[in-house]
Amino acid sequence: MKIFLIGFMGVGKTTIGKKLAELLHYSFFDLDKEIENYTKKSISEIFEKDGEKYFREIESFILKSFLNHKNAVISTGGGTPCFFDHMDWMNENGLTTYIKASEDFIYHRLSHAKKPRPLLKDFSEEKLKNFIHAKLEERNSVYKKCQIIYKTPDEKLDSLLEKIFLVLKK
Ligand code: S3P
């Protein structure tokens, strides 16, 4: 079984994914990290030098390279499900979990984040708030196709595990 973690930048997909993988004794993969290992460039460098279109192609290639992986938790990038056939592909090939958070929570996390995010470069406070509002609204139509919804930071990890076992039992 592959578990795909989906959700907006800053919601904590990587942190939650690592803990979940440990509890399930699954391997953990972070799609952005895999892209960086494969291209030997940072995500920011790829956006800067090669552009977003190229980044999305590599992202697609790396995502699909997980086809034959078993027992893995894969944390995706905030935009991953919104390009090509990715959302349907992940639903067909694994269990998709939407890590859902409020705009305020995301804003707080992103305004304190150390990880460089090319889509947010040089945003003022107001611009960041507006961007989160608009992008989240746009992406929600895709995110809500996930089989499981997990609300962070309100829900405990145990509740996510329960939801996963319920789906696996069906
Ligand atoms: C992106 C999210 C990032 C990374 C890239 C683009 C997006 O991942 O893939 O900067 O389009 O939302 P995180 O969600 O891990 O920050």
Side-chain angles (χ1 to χ4, degrees):
M1 169 55 67
K2 281 185 280 298
I3 299 174
F4 294 102
L5 298 188
I6 284 157
F8 208 77
M9 289 174 263
V11 295
K13 296 177 296 268
T14 305
T15 311
I16 295 168
K18 279 183 184 163
K19 288 186 191 154
L20 183 66
E22 210 177 297
L23 288 170
L24 291 167
H25 302 289
Y26 277 19
S27 332
F28 173 75
F29 297 94
D30 179 291
L31 203 58
D32 276 352
K33 274 268 142 16
E34 295 301 312
I35 295 169
E36 292 185 332
N37 291 344
Y38 180 81
T39 58
K40 304 206 168 41
K41 288 182 196 170
S42 72
I43 301 296
S44 301
E45 255 181 286
I46 302 174
F47 267 78
E48 238 167 66
K49 293 194 180 134
D50 310 301
E52 181 172 354
K53 191 169 179 287
Y54 175 79
F55 170 76
R56 297 299 172 192
E57 279 160 16
I58 296 284
E59 184 181 42
S60 192
F61 170 73
I62 302 288
L63 174 71
K64 303 247 169 129
S65 72
F66 280 100
L67 182 64
N68 295 317
H69 270 65
K70 292 195 173 65
N71 297 345
V73 174
I74 301 151
S75 163
T76 65
T80 313
C82 309
F83 288 84
F84 308 108
D85 61 344
H86 294 166
M87 192 61 230
D88 292 338
W89 186 88
M90 289 188 277
N91 269 329
E92 278 158 25
N93 291 290
L95 208 168
T96 49
T97 297
Y98 175 23
I99 313 288
K100 193 172 180 179
S102 69
E103 282 177 36
D104 279 349
F105 177 82
I106 295 173
Y107 172 74
H108 186 79
R109 291 275 308 237
L110 289 178
S111 53
H112 291 91
K114 288 195 194 80
K115 173 178 168 177
R117 288 188 167 90
L119 291 180
L120 310 178
K121 238 176 98 195
D122 306 328
F123 272 12
S124 66
E125 208 174 288
E126 203 197 335
K127 216 167 164 194
L128 179 59
K129 275 189 186 155
N130 292 340
F131 174 85
I132 294 168
H133 179 74
K135 246 322 176 239
L136 195 57
E137 204 160 272
E138 176 193 316
R139 288 181 171 179
N140 252 333
S141 60
V142 179
Y143 292 160
K144 70 180 187 206
K145 290 186 183 167
C146 284
Q147 297 154 55
I148 291 175
I149 296 179
Y150 172 71
K151 289 192 185 130
T152 191
D154 313 335
E155 286 188 71
K156 295 246 162 61
L157 208 57
D158 279 355
S159 126
L160 175 56
L161 270 180
E162 265 173 43
K163 290 179 192 201
I164 290 171
F165 289 137
L166 267 178
V167 177
L168 293 182
K169 255 201 262 167
K170 275 187 200 159

